[in-house]
Amino acid sequence: MTRRRLGQLEAEVLAALGAARRPVATAELRDALPGAPAYTTVNTILFRLLGKGQVSRMREGRHFLYKLAVDESRLVADQMHDRLRVASDPRAVLARFVAALSGEEERTLRAILAQPREPLPMEHIDLKSG
């Protein structure tokens, strides 16, 4: 499996865990993922996410149940920001992103942008840059 596909599957696992109303087992999570990845692949992804502190697990009988250990909106926003930061043309990336929004998503984005910005928590401020 390619590194890109693993990253995509990792994002899909995080999204499925975010959508789950309760902790879920690997088999249940696998059934919720597109493309029917192998059980062992889903387990590997969960183990990687556990190591990163993005999911937590608890034992139930002979199996583990998994849930998100982080705020999904922050996680996804941080991933988007990381991608934008390394793009050679961030303006073009933003333009393409906005062009692909649904009408409802565009209205939501416009409403968010119209609100006064709140200062970022100190953990988001890069004191090394000028």
Side-chain angles (χ1 to χ4, degrees):
M1 184 168 288
T2 66
R3 175 182 261 171
R4 180 183 173 112
R5 177 64 184 133
L6 280 174
Q8 180 181 348
L9 186 55
E10 203 172 274
E12 290 168 355
V13 167
L14 289 168
L17 287 172
R21 299 280 185 229
R22 58 180 173 65
V24 294
T26 303
E28 187 178 358
L29 184 60
R30 180 192 175 274
D31 292 342
L33 297 171
Y39 182 93
T40 54
T41 301
V42 176
N43 245 357
T44 298
I45 295 295
L46 287 167
F47 188 75
R48 288 174 50 170
L49 293 171
L50 184 65
K52 294 178 181 180
Q54 294 177 338
V55 301
S56 62
R57 71 179 180 186
M58 63 199 79
R59 185 174 286 281
E60 184 175 279
R62 293 177 33 198
H63 302 281
F64 285 109
L65 300 180
Y66 295 86
K67 68 177 185 172
L68 275 184
V70 296
D71 175 35
E72 182 187 18
S73 64
R74 180 175 180 179
L75 178 67
V76 174
D78 286 349
Q79 290 171 346
M80 292 168 62
H81 189 255
D82 288 345
R83 298 291 178 124
L84 189 60
R85 188 176 28 233
V86 298
S88 62
D89 188 353
R91 188 178 194 291
V93 173
L94 286 171
R96 187 171 295 264
F97 176 79
V98 170
L101 294 175
S102 69
E104 180 62 30
E105 291 166 336
E106 183 178 343
R107 286 186 290 280
T108 301
L109 181 58
R110 287 183 186 280
I112 291 167
L113 291 172
Q115 296 174 355
R117 291 179 69 175
E118 296 180 21
L120 287 173
M122 284 302 291
E123 65 205 43
H124 286 293
I125 297 173
D126 183 2
L127 299 175
K128 294 176 186 170
S129 64

Short mmCIF file of all heavy atoms in Angstrom, two decimals, residues 63-107:
data_model
loop_
_atom_site.label_atom_id
_atom_site.label_comp_id
_atom_site.label_asym_id
_atom_site.label_seq_id
_atom_site.Cartn_x
_atom_site.Cartn_y
_atom_site.Cartn_z
N HIS A 63 -11.60 -8.06 22.66
CA HIS A 63 -11.35 -7.06 21.63
C HIS A 63 -11.08 -5.68 22.24
O HIS A 63 -11.39 -5.42 23.39
CB HIS A 63 -12.56 -6.95 20.69
CG HIS A 63 -12.90 -8.25 20.04
ND1 HIS A 63 -12.21 -8.75 18.97
CD2 HIS A 63 -13.85 -9.16 20.33
CE1 HIS A 63 -12.72 -9.91 18.62
NE2 HIS A 63 -13.72 -10.19 19.43
N PHE A 64 -10.51 -4.82 21.41
CA PHE A 64 -10.35 -3.42 21.79
C PHE A 64 -11.41 -2.59 21.09
O PHE A 64 -11.79 -2.87 19.96
CB PHE A 64 -8.97 -2.89 21.38
CG PHE A 64 -7.85 -3.37 22.25
CD1 PHE A 64 -6.93 -4.30 21.76
CD2 PHE A 64 -7.71 -2.92 23.55
CE1 PHE A 64 -5.89 -4.74 22.55
CE2 PHE A 64 -6.67 -3.35 24.35
CZ PHE A 64 -5.76 -4.28 23.85
N LEU A 65 -11.87 -1.55 21.78
CA LEU A 65 -12.75 -0.55 21.20
C LEU A 65 -11.96 0.74 21.09
O LEU A 65 -11.21 1.09 22.00
CB LEU A 65 -14.00 -0.34 22.06
CG LEU A 65 -14.89 -1.56 22.29
CD1 LEU A 65 -16.07 -1.16 23.17
CD2 LEU A 65 -15.36 -2.15 20.98
N TYR A 66 -12.15 1.46 20.00
CA TYR A 66 -11.38 2.68 19.73
C TYR A 66 -12.30 3.89 19.66
O TYR A 66 -13.46 3.79 19.24
CB TYR A 66 -10.64 2.54 18.39
CG TYR A 66 -9.59 1.47 18.42
CD1 TYR A 66 -9.91 0.14 18.14
CD2 TYR A 66 -8.27 1.78 18.75
CE1 TYR A 66 -8.94 -0.85 18.17
CE2 TYR A 66 -7.30 0.79 18.78
CZ TYR A 66 -7.64 -0.52 18.49
OH TYR A 66 -6.68 -1.49 18.53
N LYS A 67 -11.75 5.05 20.05
CA LYS A 67 -12.47 6.31 19.92
C LYS A 67 -11.44 7.42 19.70
O LYS A 67 -10.25 7.25 20.01
CB LYS A 67 -13.35 6.61 21.12
CG LYS A 67 -12.57 6.90 22.39
CD LYS A 67 -13.51 7.25 23.53
CE LYS A 67 -12.69 7.66 24.75
NZ LYS A 67 -13.53 8.20 25.80
N LEU A 68 -11.92 8.54 19.17
CA LEU A 68 -11.03 9.69 18.98
C LEU A 68 -10.55 10.19 20.33
O LEU A 68 -11.33 10.26 21.28
CB LEU A 68 -11.76 10.83 18.28
CG LEU A 68 -11.82 10.81 16.77
CD1 LEU A 68 -12.51 12.07 16.26
CD2 LEU A 68 -10.46 10.69 16.14
N ALA A 69 -9.29 10.55 20.40
CA ALA A 69 -8.73 11.10 21.63
C ALA A 69 -8.46 12.59 21.48
O ALA A 69 -7.96 13.23 22.40
CB ALA A 69 -7.43 10.37 21.99
N VAL A 70 -8.78 13.14 20.32
CA VAL A 70 -8.55 14.55 20.02
C VAL A 70 -9.82 15.16 19.44
O VAL A 70 -10.71 14.45 18.99
CB VAL A 70 -7.38 14.74 19.03
CG1 VAL A 70 -6.07 14.26 19.63
CG2 VAL A 70 -7.65 14.00 17.73
N ASP A 71 -9.87 16.48 19.42
CA ASP A 71 -10.98 17.19 18.82
C ASP A 71 -10.87 17.07 17.29
O ASP A 71 -9.87 17.51 16.71
CB ASP A 71 -10.96 18.65 19.25
CG ASP A 71 -12.01 19.49 18.57
OD1 ASP A 71 -13.11 18.98 18.30
OD2 ASP A 71 -11.73 20.67 18.30
N GLU A 72 -11.87 16.47 16.66
CA GLU A 72 -11.80 16.22 15.22
C GLU A 72 -11.66 17.51 14.41
O GLU A 72 -10.88 17.57 13.46
CB GLU A 72 -13.05 15.46 14.75
CG GLU A 72 -13.01 15.13 13.28
CD GLU A 72 -14.29 14.52 12.76
OE1 GLU A 72 -15.34 14.64 13.43
OE2 GLU A 72 -14.24 13.93 11.68
N SER A 73 -12.38 18.55 14.79
CA SER A 73 -12.30 19.79 14.01
C SER A 73 -10.90 20.39 14.07
O SER A 73 -10.37 20.86 13.06
CB SER A 73 -13.33 20.81 14.49
OG SER A 73 -13.08 21.20 15.83
N ARG A 74 -10.27 20.32 15.22
CA ARG A 74 -8.90 20.83 15.33
C ARG A 74 -7.93 19.97 14.55
O ARG A 74 -7.03 20.48 13.86
CB ARG A 74 -8.49 20.89 16.80
CG ARG A 74 -7.09 21.42 16.97
CD ARG A 74 -6.74 21.59 18.40
NE ARG A 74 -5.39 22.10 18.51
CZ ARG A 74 -4.82 22.37 19.63
NH1 ARG A 74 -5.47 22.24 20.76
NH2 ARG A 74 -3.59 22.81 19.67
N LEU A 75 -8.11 18.67 14.62
CA LEU A 75 -7.23 17.75 13.91
C LEU A 75 -7.28 18.00 12.41
O LEU A 75 -6.25 18.14 11.76
CB LEU A 75 -7.65 16.31 14.22
CG LEU A 75 -6.89 15.21 13.53
CD1 LEU A 75 -5.45 15.16 14.04
CD2 LEU A 75 -7.57 13.88 13.78
N VAL A 76 -8.48 18.09 11.85
CA VAL A 76 -8.63 18.30 10.41
C VAL A 76 -8.13 19.69 10.01
O VAL A 76 -7.43 19.83 9.00
CB VAL A 76 -10.10 18.09 9.97
CG1 VAL A 76 -10.29 18.45 8.51
CG2 VAL A 76 -10.51 16.63 10.22
N ALA A 77 -8.44 20.70 10.81
CA ALA A 77 -7.97 22.06 10.50
C ALA A 77 -6.44 22.11 10.52
O ALA A 77 -5.83 22.75 9.66
CB ALA A 77 -8.56 23.06 11.49
N ASP A 78 -5.82 21.45 11.48
CA ASP A 78 -4.36 21.42 11.54
C ASP A 78 -3.77 20.71 10.32
O ASP A 78 -2.76 21.15 9.76
CB ASP A 78 -3.87 20.72 12.81
CG ASP A 78 -4.04 21.56 14.07
OD1 ASP A 78 -4.35 22.77 13.95
OD2 ASP A 78 -3.89 20.99 15.17
N GLN A 79 -4.42 19.63 9.87
CA GLN A 79 -3.95 18.93 8.68
C GLN A 79 -4.07 19.82 7.44
O GLN A 79 -3.16 19.86 6.61
CB GLN A 79 -4.75 17.64 8.47
CG GLN A 79 -4.45 16.58 9.50
CD GLN A 79 -5.41 15.40 9.41
OE1 GLN A 79 -6.44 15.45 8.76
NE2 GLN A 79 -5.06 14.32 10.09
N MET A 80 -5.18 20.55 7.33
CA MET A 80 -5.37 21.45 6.20
C MET A 80 -4.31 22.55 6.22
O MET A 80 -3.73 22.90 5.19
CB MET A 80 -6.78 22.06 6.23
CG MET A 80 -7.87 21.05 5.96
SD MET A 80 -9.54 21.65 6.34
CE MET A 80 -9.68 23.02 5.22
N HIS A 81 -4.06 23.10 7.40
CA HIS A 81 -3.07 24.17 7.52
C HIS A 81 -1.67 23.66 7.17
O HIS A 81 -0.91 24.36 6.49
CB HIS A 81 -3.10 24.75 8.94
CG HIS A 81 -2.26 25.97 9.08
ND1 HIS A 81 -1.05 25.96 9.71
CD2 HIS A 81 -2.46 27.24 8.63
CE1 HIS A 81 -0.53 27.16 9.66
NE2 HIS A 81 -1.35 27.96 9.01
N ASP A 82 -1.34 22.45 7.62
CA ASP A 82 -0.03 21.87 7.29
C ASP A 82 0.14 21.72 5.78
O ASP A 82 1.20 22.02 5.24
CB ASP A 82 0.14 20.50 7.96
CG ASP A 82 0.34 20.59 9.46
OD1 ASP A 82 0.64 21.70 9.96
OD2 ASP A 82 0.19 19.56 10.13
N ARG A 83 -0.90 21.26 5.11
CA ARG A 83 -0.84 21.11 3.64
C ARG A 83 -0.70 22.46 2.96
O ARG A 83 0.06 22.61 2.01
CB ARG A 83 -2.09 20.40 3.11
CG ARG A 83 -2.29 19.01 3.61
CD ARG A 83 -1.22 18.09 3.03
NE ARG A 83 -1.38 16.76 3.54
CZ ARG A 83 -1.53 15.70 2.79
NH1 ARG A 83 -1.52 15.80 1.49
NH2 ARG A 83 -1.64 14.52 3.35
N LEU A 84 -1.43 23.44 3.43
CA LEU A 84 -1.39 24.77 2.83
C LEU A 84 -0.01 25.41 3.01
O LEU A 84 0.51 26.06 2.12
CB LEU A 84 -2.47 25.66 3.45
CG LEU A 84 -2.72 27.00 2.80
CD1 LEU A 84 -3.14 26.84 1.35
CD2 LEU A 84 -3.80 27.75 3.58
N ARG A 85 0.58 25.18 4.16
CA ARG A 85 1.88 25.77 4.48
C ARG A 85 2.98 25.28 3.54
O ARG A 85 3.91 26.01 3.24
CB ARG A 85 2.24 25.48 5.93
CG ARG A 85 3.47 26.19 6.40
CD ARG A 85 3.81 26.01 7.87
NE ARG A 85 3.36 24.76 8.44
CZ ARG A 85 2.61 24.66 9.53
NH1 ARG A 85 2.23 25.74 10.17
NH2 ARG A 85 2.26 23.49 10.00
N VAL A 86 2.89 24.05 3.05
CA VAL A 86 3.94 23.51 2.19
C VAL A 86 3.61 23.63 0.70
O VAL A 86 4.43 23.25 -0.14
CB VAL A 86 4.26 22.04 2.53
CG1 VAL A 86 4.78 21.92 3.95
CG2 VAL A 86 3.06 21.15 2.31
N ALA A 87 2.45 24.18 0.37
CA ALA A 87 2.07 24.33 -1.04
C ALA A 87 2.94 25.42 -1.69
O ALA A 87 3.24 26.44 -1.08
CB ALA A 87 0.60 24.72 -1.15
N SER A 88 3.31 25.20 -2.95
CA SER A 88 4.10 26.20 -3.66
C SER A 88 3.27 27.44 -4.00
O SER A 88 3.82 28.53 -4.13
CB SER A 88 4.71 25.60 -4.94
OG SER A 88 3.67 25.19 -5.81
N ASP A 89 1.95 27.27 -4.12
CA ASP A 89 1.06 28.39 -4.43
C ASP A 89 -0.18 28.31 -3.54
O ASP A 89 -1.24 27.85 -3.97
CB ASP A 89 0.67 28.36 -5.91
CG ASP A 89 -0.10 29.60 -6.35
OD1 ASP A 89 -0.46 30.43 -5.49
OD2 ASP A 89 -0.37 29.72 -7.56
N PRO A 90 -0.07 28.75 -2.28
CA PRO A 90 -1.19 28.64 -1.34
C PRO A 90 -2.46 29.34 -1.83
O PRO A 90 -3.56 28.86 -1.60
CB PRO A 90 -0.67 29.31 -0.07
CG PRO A 90 0.80 29.32 -0.20
CD PRO A 90 1.11 29.33 -1.65
N ARG A 91 -2.30 30.46 -2.55
CA ARG A 91 -3.49 31.17 -3.06
C ARG A 91 -4.26 30.30 -4.04
O ARG A 91 -5.49 30.23 -3.99
CB ARG A 91 -3.06 32.48 -3.74
CG ARG A 91 -4.21 33.36 -4.11
CD ARG A 91 -3.72 34.68 -4.75
NE ARG A 91 -4.74 35.68 -4.83
CZ ARG A 91 -5.80 35.64 -5.63
NH1 ARG A 91 -5.99 34.60 -6.41
NH2 ARG A 91 -6.68 36.60 -5.64
N ALA A 92 -3.56 29.60 -4.92
CA ALA A 92 -4.22 28.71 -5.88
C ALA A 92 -4.91 27.54 -5.16
O ALA A 92 -6.01 27.13 -5.55
CB ALA A 92 -3.21 28.19 -6.89
N VAL A 93 -4.28 27.03 -4.11
CA VAL A 93 -4.88 25.94 -3.34
C VAL A 93 -6.17 26.42 -2.69
O VAL A 93 -7.21 25.75 -2.77
CB VAL A 93 -3.89 25.42 -2.27
CG1 VAL A 93 -4.57 24.41 -1.36
CG2 VAL A 93 -2.67 24.82 -2.93
N LEU A 94 -6.12 27.61 -2.08
CA LEU A 94 -7.33 28.16 -1.45
C LEU A 94 -8.43 28.41 -2.49
O LEU A 94 -9.60 28.12 -2.25
CB LEU A 94 -7.01 29.45 -0.70
CG LEU A 94 -6.27 29.27 0.62
CD1 LEU A 94 -5.81 30.63 1.14
CD2 LEU A 94 -7.14 28.56 1.63
N ALA A 95 -8.05 28.94 -3.64
CA ALA A 95 -9.03 29.21 -4.70
C ALA A 95 -9.69 27.90 -5.16
O ALA A 95 -10.91 27.85 -5.34
CB ALA A 95 -8.35 29.91 -5.88
N ARG A 96 -8.90 26.86 -5.33
CA ARG A 96 -9.46 25.58 -5.76
C ARG A 96 -10.35 24.99 -4.67
O ARG A 96 -11.41 24.42 -4.95
CB ARG A 96 -8.34 24.61 -6.12
CG ARG A 96 -8.85 23.32 -6.73
CD ARG A 96 -7.72 22.48 -7.27
NE ARG A 96 -7.05 23.12 -8.37
CZ ARG A 96 -7.31 22.87 -9.65
NH1 ARG A 96 -8.25 22.02 -9.98
NH2 ARG A 96 -6.63 23.46 -10.59
N PHE A 97 -9.93 25.14 -3.43
CA PHE A 97 -10.72 24.64 -2.30
C PHE A 97 -12.08 25.33 -2.27
O PHE A 97 -13.12 24.67 -2.19
CB PHE A 97 -9.96 24.88 -0.99
CG PHE A 97 -10.75 24.49 0.24
CD1 PHE A 97 -10.85 23.16 0.61
CD2 PHE A 97 -11.37 25.45 1.02
CE1 PHE A 97 -11.57 22.79 1.74
CE2 PHE A 97 -12.10 25.09 2.14
CZ PHE A 97 -12.20 23.76 2.51
N VAL A 98 -12.08 26.65 -2.37
CA VAL A 98 -13.33 27.41 -2.33
C VAL A 98 -14.22 27.07 -3.52
O VAL A 98 -15.43 26.94 -3.40
CB VAL A 98 -13.04 28.93 -2.24
CG1 VAL A 98 -14.30 29.75 -2.44
CG2 VAL A 98 -12.40 29.26 -0.90
N ALA A 99 -13.62 26.91 -4.70
CA ALA A 99 -14.39 26.58 -5.89
C ALA A 99 -15.10 25.23 -5.77
O ALA A 99 -16.15 25.02 -6.38
CB ALA A 99 -13.48 26.58 -7.12
N ALA A 100 -14.54 24.33 -4.98
CA ALA A 100 -15.12 22.99 -4.83
C ALA A 100 -16.18 22.92 -3.72
O ALA A 100 -16.81 21.88 -3.55
CB ALA A 100 -14.01 21.98 -4.56
N LEU A 101 -16.38 24.00 -2.98
CA LEU A 101 -17.36 23.99 -1.89
C LEU A 101 -18.78 23.91 -2.42
O LEU A 101 -19.10 24.49 -3.47
CB LEU A 101 -17.22 25.26 -1.03
CG LEU A 101 -15.93 25.44 -0.24
CD1 LEU A 101 -15.91 26.80 0.44
CD2 LEU A 101 -15.74 24.32 0.77
N SER A 102 -19.64 23.23 -1.68
CA SER A 102 -21.06 23.25 -2.01
C SER A 102 -21.61 24.62 -1.62
O SER A 102 -20.95 25.40 -0.91
CB SER A 102 -21.80 22.17 -1.22
OG SER A 102 -21.84 22.51 0.17
N GLY A 103 -22.81 24.92 -2.06
CA GLY A 103 -23.43 26.20 -1.70
C GLY A 103 -23.55 26.38 -0.19
O GLY A 103 -23.26 27.45 0.33
N GLU A 104 -23.94 25.33 0.49
CA GLU A 104 -24.08 25.40 1.95
C GLU A 104 -22.72 25.59 2.62
O GLU A 104 -22.58 26.38 3.55
CB GLU A 104 -24.75 24.13 2.48
CG GLU A 104 -24.94 24.11 3.98
CD GLU A 104 -25.84 25.22 4.50
OE1 GLU A 104 -26.75 25.66 3.77
OE2 GLU A 104 -25.62 25.67 5.65
N GLU A 105 -21.70 24.89 2.13
CA GLU A 105 -20.35 25.05 2.69
C GLU A 105 -19.84 26.47 2.45
O GLU A 105 -19.21 27.07 3.34
CB GLU A 105 -19.39 24.03 2.07
CG GLU A 105 -19.68 22.60 2.48
CD GLU A 105 -18.97 21.57 1.63
OE1 GLU A 105 -18.61 21.88 0.47
OE2 GLU A 105 -18.78 20.43 2.12
N GLU A 106 -20.10 27.01 1.28
CA GLU A 106 -19.66 28.38 0.98
C GLU A 106 -20.36 29.38 1.89
O GLU A 106 -19.73 30.31 2.42
CB GLU A 106 -19.93 28.72 -0.48
CG GLU A 106 -19.41 30.11 -0.86
CD GLU A 106 -19.62 30.45 -2.32
OE1 GLU A 106 -19.86 29.53 -3.13
OE2 GLU A 106 -19.51 31.64 -2.64
N ARG A 107 -21.66 29.21 2.11
CA ARG A 107 -22.38 30.12 3.02
C ARG A 107 -21.82 30.03 4.43
O ARG A 107 -21.66 31.04 5.11
CB ARG A 107 -23.89 29.81 2.99
CG ARG A 107 -24.59 30.30 1.72
CD ARG A 107 -26.10 30.12 1.79
NE ARG A 107 -26.51 28.73 1.74
CZ ARG A 107 -26.59 28.00 0.64
NH1 ARG A 107 -26.30 28.54 -0.54
NH2 ARG A 107 -26.98 26.74 0.68
#
